[in-house]
Amino acid sequence: MTFEDLNIKRQFLNALEDLGFEDPTPIQVKAIPSIANGQDVIGIAQTGTGKTAAYLLPILGNLKFAQSLEPRCLILVPTKELVIQVKSQVEQLSTYTDLRCVALFGGVGPNTQIAEIVAGSDIIVATPGRFTELYSKGHIYTRKIKHLVLDEADRMLDMGFMPQIRRIQEVIPQKHQKLLFSATFPQKVESLCDEFLLWPVRVEASPPATPVSTVTQHKYRLPNFMSKLNLLLYLIQNEKQDIKRLIVFVRTRQLAENITRFLSRKLEDEVRSVHSNKGQNSRHNAMNAFREGDVRILVTTDVSARGIDIPDVSHVINFSVPRQYDDYIHRIGRTGRVFKSGIAITFVDKAEEHHLEQIEDLIQQKIPLIKVPEEVEQPPTPKAEILVMAKEIDDQRKRQDPTFKGAFHDKKDRAVKAKEKKARALKKRKR
Ligand code: AMP
């Protein structure tokens, strides 16, 4: 199947040629004909499958060229980063047309965005928050909108955008085509589809919750934080040839900072970090430096796990196992992008075993275990860390079985009781 077979018009074929896209990806083959026919479509596809172009190509084909001042297509996405990314794809694909695209997102003053809307647009790519804000102030006319795309719908719902999405539905003309793309298909996305889409055609890039098959997955079992850090450094230093571009995912912002500091001391200019404690500018700069290949390693929390497209990420390392299980799929989806292969490595300690088992159930695969190389030092676990892990394991068991009192608490109880007994004996002896 070629793009010509999908009836893509000449001006867009030229743009695809410039971009070096030779053949359509599976989601493009499946989605483009139905979207071009004007049907409502549900697309289950992760980033990295080519899903953005899957909805953009038929929409751009329908819009053809610039018309009036009012937008005819609205694309809602969860984050500023994704707004910028989608807008950039719109611009690349519409190089040979005069179609205009405006990006709306929060975190910056609205005046420039308002000026762009006033100058006229055909497509608006927006976060639901900023769109509703500008709409309610009377800056956006919606009566000509005939295509509405909800991209990364699962993520938008997770972020609490449902009220804004409902409000937006109410202010655009009843007769419009709705497209919903989502990496996963949990119950809440299903309800959203039932509520808004009319006789939708459902297309899937791969079965839901399945990591892209071009990603090779491994896991290492490690006793504690220091051992994880040692293995991370070992892999970076010893597999230098293979690890061309690495994203390290960690659980917390603090951890991201600490690991970045540790790696920077050893590797100097090769590391940056991105997390939500950082200012927009610093995040943007770090992302750019990584994207441009100026730094080899990016340490991040799940902030940038979804949606961000960085080509040629050779390795993803999950320094911590994500507690939000579908984040695992999003994380490892950073590598193995379209037609390329990648490696995803997960470090798992005792307290995280349970979460990784859940993830293995979700992806319906057992992730192969690799032996930690002997050269990697695995120091004993500090007492404080043992307690944190024990508590987490207890909490997991309690969640599964509410009657379970918890070995950790038992132990604590026993320790308290022993102390009390000792005090009583001491008192008695004194008497
Ligand atoms: P997406 O899944 O939309 O985030 O796209 C992931 C990456 O694949 C982006 O960098 C696109 O530019 C690229 N891409 C989309 N379609 C194709 C294609 N048919 N061939 C090669 N790359 C593509």
Side-chain angles (χ1 to χ4, degrees):
M1 181 70 81
T2 63
F3 281 115
E4 277 93 344
D5 297 333
L6 290 169
N7 287 328
I8 303 293
K9 296 190 176 74
R10 179 44 45 203
Q11 60 270 43
F12 302 109
L13 288 177
N14 291 342
L16 288 166
E17 210 176 297
D18 290 352
L19 285 167
F21 296 3
E22 288 171 5
D23 298 307
T25 64
I27 191 75
Q28 290 164 358
V29 171
K30 289 183 206 168
I32 289 175
S34 303
I35 300 177
N37 267 341
Q39 279 168 292
D40 282 4
V41 170
I42 301 171
I44 311 295
Q46 299 159 236
T47 38
T49 53
K51 49 122 183 154
T52 318
Y55 65 75
L56 284 181
L57 282 167
I59 291 179
L60 296 175
N62 187 278
L63 300 178
K64 291 193 187 90
F65 40 76
Q67 257 180 41
S68 80
L69 295 179
E70 298 170 28
R72 288 172 289 152
C73 169
L74 170 62
I75 301 169
L76 295 174
V77 302
T79 60
K80 171 194 165 182
E81 280 86 357
L82 206 56
V83 169
I84 293 170
Q85 207 169 287
V86 172
K87 180 179 186 237
S88 135
Q89 273 213 42
V90 171
E91 283 169 349
Q92 288 168 340
L93 292 172
S94 54
T95 311
Y96 297 101
T97 73
D98 58 354
L99 288 167
R100 301 148 302 169
C101 180
V102 170
L104 308 179
F105 47 82
V108 291
N111 290 346
T112 315
Q113 295 174 2
I114 294 169
E116 283 176 13
I117 299 168
V118 171
S121 68
D122 302 287
I123 300 146
I124 288 185
V125 187
T127 53
R130 178 51 65 98
F131 184 88
T132 19
E133 182 194 326
L134 295 185
Y135 175 80
S136 55
K137 289 187 181 145
H139 296 299
I140 306 173
Y141 291 100
T142 52
R143 60 187 169 206
K144 292 221 170 126
I145 290 178
K146 50 179 189 163
H147 306 277
L148 173 67
V149 183
L150 306 178
D151 195 358
E152 305 230 347
D154 48 356
R155 182 73 168 147
M156 286 201 280
L157 295 186
D158 284 350
M159 290 170 77
F161 281 134
M162 190 63 194
Q164 285 92 337
I165 292 174
R166 278 223 174 88
R167 217 167 311 141
I168 293 168
Q169 294 278 343
E170 280 162 14
V171 302
I172 59 180
Q174 287 237 314
K175 212 168 159 271
H176 67 266
Q177 179 182 38
K178 290 192 194 77
L179 310 174
L180 179 144
F181 281 78
S182 190
T184 56
F185 203 65
Q187 182 58 45
K188 52 189 170 187
V189 176
E190 205 172 332
S191 308
L192 178 70
C193 292
D194 290 346
E195 196 173 328
F196 293 125
L197 279 76
L198 194 66
W199 313 116
V201 177
R202 183 176 154 140
V203 291
E204 287 183 26
S206 51
T210 307
V212 274
S213 56
T214 46
V215 182
T216 309
Q217 303 170 67
H218 305 304
K219 67 183 173 197
Y220 287 99
R221 209 169 266 145
L222 292 138
N224 49 41
F225 176 76
M226 255 338 275
S227 314
K228 285 187 174 186
L229 217 45
N230 290 342
L231 177 61
L232 177 63
L233 189 63
Y234 174 88
L235 293 177
I236 292 171
Q237 287 179 329
N238 289 279
E239 294 188 16
K240 215 168 177 150
Q241 307 308 323
D242 297 335
I243 301 188
K244 294 197 179 62
R245 214 177 272 193
L246 163 71
I247 303 186
V248 181
F249 283 106
V250 301
R251 239 182 105 192
T252 63
R253 291 173 277 193
Q254 189 59 48
L255 209 53
E257 269 309 299
N258 294 348
I259 293 176
T260 307
R261 225 172 297 137
F262 171 86
L263 291 179
S264 303
R265 274 204 297 269
K266 313 268 177 193
L267 305 164
E268 289 176 6
D269 283 343
E270 292 190 84
V271 195
R272 287 287 168 81
S273 69
V274 176
H275 54 75
S276 49
N277 249 10
K278 296 217 153 185
Q280 295 247 6
N281 269 351
S282 151
R283 274 165 62 177
H284 190 71
N285 291 344
M287 247 346 178
N288 262 356
F290 184 66
R291 195 176 280 128
E292 300 297 319
D294 297 337
V295 293
R296 188 161 68 106
I297 303 156
L298 189 75
V299 182
T300 179
T301 55
D302 283 301
V303 175
S304 62
R306 299 192 190 217
I308 304 307
D309 178 43
I310 297 170
D312 300 333
V313 173
S314 61
H315 288 65
V316 162
I317 293 185
N318 293 309
F319 191 90
S320 348
V321 176
R323 305 315 199 241
Q324 183 93 25
Y325 302 137
D326 55 358
D327 276 343
Y328 177 83
I329 299 162
H330 291 287
R331 284 182 181 189
I332 75 165
R334 301 307 88 221
T335 180
R337 313 291 283 180
V338 183
F339 305 135
K340 296 210 171 100
S341 58
I343 293 181
I345 298 167
T346 303
F347 295 174
V348 54
D349 65 29
K350 226 166 152 188
E352 294 173 321
E353 286 282 353
H354 165 79
H355 300 297
L356 198 59
E357 277 165 21
Q358 302 289 314
I359 288 168
E360 289 176 334
D361 282 353
L362 177 76
I363 62 173
Q364 295 169 16
Q365 296 174 29
K366 269 261 169 257
I367 302 167
L369 180 73
I370 298 194
K371 209 168 154 278
V372 179
E374 296 200 337
E375 301 90 310
V376 175
E377 201 196 334
Q378 300 189 46
T381 314
K383 210 162 176 190
E385 205 182 336
I386 296 181
L387 288 180
V388 172
M389 282 198 232
K391 176 152 182 355
E392 178 157 0
I393 293 170
D394 266 10
D395 290 345
Q396 288 157 16
R397 289 191 56 187
K398 262 191 249 158
R399 237 168 279 135
Q400 288 165 333
D401 172 12
T403 62
F404 174 73
K405 280 245 164 53
F408 169 69
H409 299 284
D410 275 359
K411 224 189 241 165
K412 202 165 88 189
D413 281 354
R414 277 206 300 277
V416 171
K417 273 183 196 148
K419 223 172 166 181
E420 285 170 355
K421 199 173 160 193
K422 213 168 157 187
R424 273 200 305 273
L426 211 71
K427 228 170 162 183
K428 220 169 162 184
R429 230 182 292 153
K430 271 188 190 160
R431 259 194 253 136

